[in-house]
Amino acid sequence: MSYFWIAFIVFIIINTLISIITVFADRNRDIAAIWAWLLVLIVFPGFGLIIYLFLGRKISREDIFNLREQAKVGLPEYLQAQSMIAKEQLEQMERLDFHDPKNRRYEVARMLMQIEQPPLASDNAVEFFTDGHDKFQRLLQDISQAEHHIHIGYYIFRGDQLGQKVVDALEERARQGVKVKVLYDPVGARTLKRSLFKKIESYGGQTEASFGAKFHLLNIRLNYRNHRKIAVIDGKIGYTGGFNIGDDYLGKYEKMGYWRDTHLRITGSAVHQLQARFIIDWNASKRSDLIAYESFYFPMIKPQGDKEVQIVSSGPDTEEEAIKKGFIKMINLAKDSIYIQTPYFIPDDALRETIQIALLSGIKIKLMIPNKPDHPFIYQATLSYVEELMNMGAEIYIYDKGFLHAKTIVVDEEIFSVGTANFDIRSFRLNFEVNAFVYDQELAREQIQYFMEDVEDSYLLTPEIVDTYSLWDRFKQQFSRLLSPIL
């Protein structure tokens, strides 16, 4: 045997041993993720280890502790008040008859409060945006009218035409004495030049990368991204949803085409929950200049409507996976229909089985995904999972007008959720996400109407279409599915 083959065999043995030791060194890792990583590390010797260093390392217990402690910094008065409100609401809900269909929606709110999510805010007005031009036109208008402060946190913040428009609007308000704070993810905004914010900072504004140096790109950890999108103006107007800041979200990138997304503008006391989420993220990202509780960040707000809203957050700093549990609870409550829009559909076992049980129980499920990938492996895995649901009776629509980035679920025309979390394992376990859970029949029906309008720009996935998949297509789907726990 030649020296080459001896060296190669030794390399494979060493790589396999290192792979096993490395993966199992991270305790409490999901068993499916362990096998997926072992597959990558062994099938791609050497290169797989590099991938693992960037994508596979778990967040340390010390980092988790530090992030949890940040929730106590600056906002003890507000968080304590919210805890008292939640306690009172839970006591009231204990007296409700949950056999009454009118009260079923409160089961979701109650469950979320029991895992330390905010109470139900019932005095809100909610406005939908499905087109980036409309959303940013309204956001820029609100920014231009800001009087005291503007808090903006986005996963992606590009320095292109739209990004410059937003920066110009922030500069103008900062020059007038409005307190401006901008938070962005260092990986999502990796092409951003810090010089873009130079004028904002010269007027006293502040900009910061989410979670500081610990989660920076150079720390060889590409997981645990701050995927949240939050804008709060004067503590009275809040935005959250799927749109980031960049020209592609206006449909200006030919590769992706028209960008279909869903975003919410909220007025009412639920804005304070978005405000608290931003402040906690900001304080977790800064070593100094922390935001302390001040009444002007949480001003008295007159009732703006009667929409019940609950802002729910999840991330690797907690094991609750609150948004996923909210989805599961909604699906379990379904009696008639479920509508889902998501760019990625990679459910874990719990969510997958919950959806399957709903189908077997006669619940009508309509699920819509895009017709093109922006992440090839994720899209191939998505095709595998949606085919499985199609075979069980779900209606799977492929959005064909452009790229579908909306992240929504509507149950029984009564409850819906819109936010930043995709229906995938990454959003549930690895990213920091925020979703608005809205308990209102009128708005739920409006969201369904948007779905049905999108159906006109989609085609139905059928067994005939699936039969046209080549062996290579099948291989890509099944291989990607094997990797789904780590995608």
Side-chain angles (χ1 to χ4, degrees), residues 128-130 260-263 327 338-345 365-370 397-399 404-410 417-419 421-423 435 446-456 458:
F128 288 104
F129 296 97
T130 61
R260 168 65 176 87
D261 220 320
T262 302
H263 219 87
F327 291 169
I338 300 169
Y339 296 78
I340 298 173
Q341 288 182 307
T342 179
Y344 323 122
F345 186 74
I365 295 183
K366 300 178 188 290
L367 190 153
M368 187 178 294
I369 62 172
Y397 293 95
I398 314 296
Y399 185 73
L404 177 73
H405 193 247
K407 308 139 192 325
T408 67
I409 177 172
V410 189
S417 181
V418 171
N422 299 302
F423 281 73
N435 270 48
E446 185 176 350
Q447 180 57 42
I448 290 174
Q449 182 60 38
Y450 291 127
F451 185 104
M452 297 311 296
E453 290 173 2
D454 291 333
V455 167
E456 299 299 317
S458 307

Side-chain angles (χ1 to χ4, degrees), residues 1-138:
M1 185 180 293
S2 67
Y3 288 116
F4 170 80
W5 286 109
I6 294 174
F8 179 74
I9 292 172
V10 171
F11 171 73
I12 293 298
I13 293 173
I14 293 175
N15 178 82
T16 302
L17 291 174
I18 292 175
S19 299
I20 295 172
I21 293 170
T22 300
V23 172
F24 281 92
D26 280 336
R27 290 173 293 177
N28 300 319
R29 185 185 291 276
D30 179 77
I31 189 65
I34 289 176
W35 284 111
W37 275 119
L38 285 175
L39 176 66
V40 171
L41 290 165
I42 293 172
V43 172
F44 304 105
F47 181 65
L49 187 59
I50 296 174
I51 296 174
Y52 180 82
L53 290 175
F54 276 88
L55 293 174
R57 295 169 59 219
K58 294 188 71 176
I59 187 171
S60 72
R61 291 182 180 272
E62 179 185 359
D63 287 344
I64 291 174
F65 175 79
N66 290 336
L67 287 173
R68 288 174 177 169
E69 287 300 297
Q70 289 301 331
K72 303 174 184 177
V73 175
L75 297 180
E77 299 94 337
Y78 173 79
L79 295 175
Q80 185 176 7
Q82 289 286 285
S83 179
M84 291 299 296
I85 294 172
K87 182 179 179 181
E88 292 174 1
Q89 288 186 0
L90 286 171
E91 290 175 353
Q92 294 171 2
M93 289 175 182
E94 288 297 326
R95 297 190 288 270
L96 292 176
D97 177 10
F98 285 107
H99 295 291
D100 185 343
K102 294 180 181 179
N103 296 329
R104 283 194 305 124
R105 65 184 184 274
Y106 294 119
E107 291 192 48
V108 179
R110 179 178 64 170
M111 184 275 295
L112 290 169
M113 280 187 279
Q114 287 176 334
I115 54 175
E116 299 184 351
Q117 293 300 312
L120 202 59
S122 57
D123 60 352
N124 304 280
V126 177
E127 183 178 356
F128 288 104
F129 296 97
T130 61
D131 180 90
H133 294 86
D134 296 335
K135 183 258 179 169
F136 285 104
Q137 181 180 7
R138 191 64 184 275

